[in-house]
Amino acid sequence: MQIQHNISLKPYNTFGIDVKALKFLDITHIEILKELLKKEKDFFIIGGGSNLLLTKDITKLVIHIAFKGIKVVDEFEDTVLVQVAAGENWHEFVLWCIENNYGGVENLSLIPGNVGTAPIQNIGAYGVEFKDTAQKVETIHIETGIERIFNKDECAFDYRNSVFKNELKGSYIITNVTFKLSKNKHILNSSYGAIQAELDKQNIKNATIKDVSDAVIAIREHKLPDPKKIGNSGSFFKNPIISKSEFKKLQEKFPDAPHYTVSENEIKVPAGWLVEQCGFKGKRFGDAGIHKNQALVLVNYANATGKEIYDLSKRIQNAVVEKFGIPIETEVNII
Ligand code: EPU
């Protein structure tokens, strides 16, 4: 167990914020984690670092979860169970599925981050969420070091939410996730307008899972900045859900407000639209900015500090409340 000192966390967060870990440990095997848990309980866990805004140096021990491995653990006539280690990169796992013709996660192509952090906020895009294929989540309890498997119901998945973000926050470390994927008779989800439009554009009639994945990649590459080129954390804010009566009031003033019905009395309004209406889209303040194609995404052009991005996010939240009376919550964890 080799603890390193004064390590820059820049390569470990997709925002590319240059803060330090005073103590840093790369954990490549579950056994090493179990050993650590016998003597250390107070640490900061970093996975893919894709949903994280670091505003200061981390004085606690930082542990980087780097377990690797993807394997088929069971096979049925039409489906397959695949166990994936927490440290696997999410998009590389999606590409592995496409290569092996396993369907179910193709709409989630190109989402930054790791497999082990995907359950925490139930990642989602283009009409599909993590929870649609996840079967179980394997964990280790930090306090006792005991392994526990959560079935899907126990994870309490919801829009960008799960039990790991709420009552069990900070209690468990995710080690593996098992997915149930289709081997044949794939059920494609191209209901999300932009996917069908992309397939039509390419004149694809009987789309395969690879076609859907390619379409999602094309859409995302067009709309969202590549964190390898411009630091970002995907959606910085969650889309707010408001009551029907609140939405009616909004619609009176802004008849074109885009929206999606969530339930009988709840309407989701795209935060990107709210932010754009406040005039922030494409604006740059030093090295911190708002992406030109998607106002939901804050970016670090080069050397922005976490504090600068944080201050910008506060400014945006205040402007949205002032103009629309709607608070927007951050999706990203701010440290
Ligand atoms: N819009 C604007 N201006 C903008 C951005 C969006 O007016 O700058 C409006 C448009 O009306 C557009 C609508 O918002 O039609 C919805 O935009 P989009 O389809 O891009 O989706 P989103 O609601 O902005 C969500 C997820 C994304 C996910 C997409 C596609 C959240 C917080 N974000 O964005 O997730 O990729 O749907 O399914 O739910 C992420 O979490 O990192 C992420 C990128």
Side-chain angles (χ1 to χ4, degrees), residues 124-126 159-160 192 220 223-224 234-235 237-239 258 260 270 272-273 276 281 294-296 331:
Y126 308 105
Y159 168 64
R160 294 296 193 276
Y192 201 90
R220 287 188 76 102
K223 264 190 155 172
L224 298 167
S235 304
F237 303 105
K238 287 196 264 191
N239 289 333
Y260 315 98
W273 180 80
E276 180 173 349
K281 193 169 181 171
Q294 167 55 288
L296 199 49
E331 186 191 290

Side-chain angles (χ1 to χ4, degrees), residues 214-257:
D214 288 345
V216 169
I217 290 172
I219 299 164
R220 287 188 76 102
E221 280 180 340
H222 173 70
K223 264 190 155 172
L224 298 167
D226 176 356
K228 287 188 193 116
K229 295 181 190 142
I230 301 176
N232 76 90
S233 249
S235 304
F236 196 91
F237 303 105
K238 287 196 264 191
N239 289 333
I241 295 171
I242 59 176
S243 69
K244 226 176 196 163
S245 58
E246 283 175 287
F247 181 68
K248 283 242 163 69
K249 277 190 230 148
L250 177 74
Q251 222 176 13
E252 276 164 23
K253 275 201 196 158
F254 303 92
D256 301 330

Side-chain angles (χ1 to χ4, degrees), residues 19 36 108 116 120 126 161 173 187 194 199 215 223 258 291 316 331:
V19 295
L36 176 76
L108 305 178
I120 300 173
Y126 308 105
N161 215 345
I173 295 176
I187 301 166
L199 294 171
K223 264 190 155 172
H291 190 53
I316 292 171
E331 186 191 290

Side-chain angles (χ1 to χ4, degrees), residues 243-244 261-267:
S243 69
K244 226 176 196 163
T261 301
V262 178
S263 67
E264 213 177 302
N265 192 34
E266 289 172 314
I267 308 277

Side-chain angles (χ1 to χ4, degrees), residues 61 96 147 270:
L61 171 67
W96 180 90
E147 294 184 40

